[in-house]
Amino acid sequence: MTIMVIGVGTATLRLAGARSLKDKRRVLKSILARLHNRFNVAAAEVDYQDSHQKAEVGIACVSTSGSHASQVLAAVMGFLEAEDAIELMAYHTELL
């Protein structure tokens, strides 16, 4: 029997430099693409779509190991924390 572990996370971000929704979308699109390319995760904006300086991003990964899924989510949050264009305000992760 194959075990499938799904890691999910949410990250609340502040985009201080965004002056409009267009600025916000440009920054988020770049970050979401880099998350997908670097960590092979699915990521999308899931809340605060009408706010130009705040965003909530949902992240998901699938693995056969809970420790691997946890490591991937930790790496994603570390990447977001180090990103200059945004501030990671809060995050939550869990395994399903």
Side-chain angles (χ1 to χ4, degrees), residues 32-47:
L32 295 176
R34 284 185 284 150
L35 287 176
H36 175 70
N37 291 335
R38 186 172 296 177
F39 302 104
N40 197 26
V41 296
E45 183 179 10
V46 296
D47 202 358

Side-chain angles (χ1 to χ4, degrees), residues 63-74:
S63 180
T64 58
S65 162
S67 63
H68 178 258
S70 292
Q71 289 172 352
V72 169
L73 290 175

Side-chain angles (χ1 to χ4, degrees), residues 4-50:
M4 180 174 66
V5 178
I6 302 168
V8 294
T10 56
T12 305
L13 311 174
R14 188 167 78 89
L15 296 89
R19 302 284 181 237
S20 66
L21 290 176
K22 187 175 181 178
D23 287 345
K24 174 187 170 180
R25 278 190 220 100
R26 179 183 49 78
V27 171
L28 276 182
K29 184 176 180 179
S30 171
I31 290 171
L32 295 176
R34 284 185 284 150
L35 287 176
H36 175 70
N37 291 335
R38 186 172 296 177
F39 302 104
N40 197 26
V41 296
E45 183 179 10
V46 296
D47 202 358
Y48 305 113
Q49 287 90 346
D50 294 332

Side-chain angles (χ1 to χ4, degrees), residues 8-11 77 90-94:
V8 294
T10 56
M77 295 310 163
Y91 68 89
H92 173 77
T93 61
E94 66 181 284

